[in-house]
Amino acid sequence: MVVPAHNAQATLGAQLEALATQVVRRPFEVIVVDNQSTDATAQVAHGFADRFAHLRVVTASAGAGVAYARNFGTALASGDRVVYCQADDIVRPGWLQAMSVALDSADLVGGVLDVRQINSAYVQSLSWHPTMTELPTTMRYLAYATGASLGVRLSVWRELNGFDETFIGGHEEVDFAWRAQLAGHTIGSAPEAVIDYRLRGSVKGVMKQRYGYGRSYAQLYSRFTDQPIRRLSLKHEVKVIGTFLISGPRECLAGRGNQWLAGLAWTAGRWRGNFAYGVRCPL
């Protein structure tokens, strides 16, 4: 198991506590990857040394980003399969066993995210978010497993040369899952593997995240322009975006201003990505 961690002092303890209570039929190791933290992330992780049969805390400082941290930790893994979770979420009982069982019949698997338990009503109101009970899709194309609850056979990770570390801000797990499927590997879901997923807690934090998502969304499309991914006509796209932009005052009056700002940040990131990668990605 690989847990990327960057300045996760405040949340890592809860995640490691939840992982320490997992009941699994096969032995497992936990690799916490401290990626350029400037707080006490490593110390928090070391404090759980007596709670696991195999816990490693490693420092990854030559690069930045979750894709780099996942690759760094995976390269050190000793088993034949790897599962990933995040340092600011909390796995529920049975998560690891469910992911392990799912990997018996698929090369790549994804679990379920639930935002209701560890996020206040206000935080949940900051942006639209799906209730993720099955594998998500994007661009109306292939399914993927979100990086917050992802498992893969180590042989597949090696064949694909890991996650693409040029993805900063999101969609590195989508790129990974799409490449895996296009190479002939199977993807499956683990519906009993549930994680309490932590949302960004401020409007600024949400907008920064959604801007990164929009930019990396365009990057993703630039890698798969040879695939049958449908786009709206330019005329229709302009109409949709124009309708969204002028809806701002109405959405604010209706109490949905935060969600509109999140959408605006995603739109701005998407435009930035389109220019950066020379594409016009789908809405």
Side-chain angles (χ1 to χ4, degrees), residues 74-239:
T74 307
L76 301 174
S78 59
D80 60 354
R81 54 186 69 184
V82 181
V83 294
Y84 306 92
C85 60
Q86 299 185 159
D88 59 348
D89 300 330
I90 302 176
V91 302
R92 290 190 188 171
W95 173 77
L96 186 55
Q97 177 63 20
M99 293 291 281
S100 178
V101 170
L103 281 169
D104 288 338
S105 56
D107 300 315
L108 180 77
V109 301
V112 175
L113 307 185
D114 192 329
V115 303
R116 297 169 295 180
Q117 297 298 315
I118 61 173
N119 300 284
S120 67
Y122 169 72
V123 169
Q124 293 181 54
S125 75
L126 293 179
S127 62
W128 176 86
H129 44 79
T131 300
M132 197 167 292
T133 56
E134 56 186 26
L135 292 177
T137 60
T138 190
M139 298 188 191
R140 298 176 293 278
Y141 189 45
L142 298 175
Y144 66 94
T146 180
S149 183
L150 186 155
V152 64
R153 294 181 182 176
L154 191 58
S155 59
V156 175
W157 176 84
R158 286 173 174 156
E159 179 185 327
L160 299 177
N161 294 315
F163 296 89
D164 187 337
E165 297 174 12
T166 66
F167 278 86
I168 301 295
H171 290 94
E172 77 291 329
E173 76 271 64
V174 186
D175 168 76
F176 184 83
W178 285 9
R179 286 191 287 124
Q181 291 171 85
L182 292 173
H185 299 293
T186 57
I187 185 169
S189 63
E192 296 180 355
V194 183
I195 281 185
D196 289 317
Y197 180 76
R198 195 178 305 276
L199 300 169
R200 295 294 188 271
S202 67
V203 174
K204 180 179 179 180
V206 169
M207 291 186 71
K208 180 179 180 181
Q209 181 186 53
R210 294 306 170 95
Y211 180 87
Y213 284 171
R215 190 181 189 281
S216 59
Y217 183 80
Q219 180 180 3
L220 176 71
Y221 179 69
S222 74
R223 300 293 178 84
F224 295 93
T225 54
D226 60 333
Q227 298 302 311
I229 299 174
R230 293 177 296 166
R231 297 182 300 174
L232 298 177
S233 68
L234 180 58
K235 180 179 179 180
H236 192 180
E237 180 178 322
V238 169
K239 181 179 179 180

Side-chain angles (χ1 to χ4, degrees), residues 14-36:
Q15 180 67 295
L16 291 177
E17 180 66 34
L19 290 171
T21 61
Q22 296 288 299
V23 178
V24 190
R25 289 195 292 267
R26 57 189 296 168
F28 68 95
E29 63 178 350
V30 176
I31 302 174
V32 177
V33 182
D34 180 14
N35 183 209
Q36 298 188 354

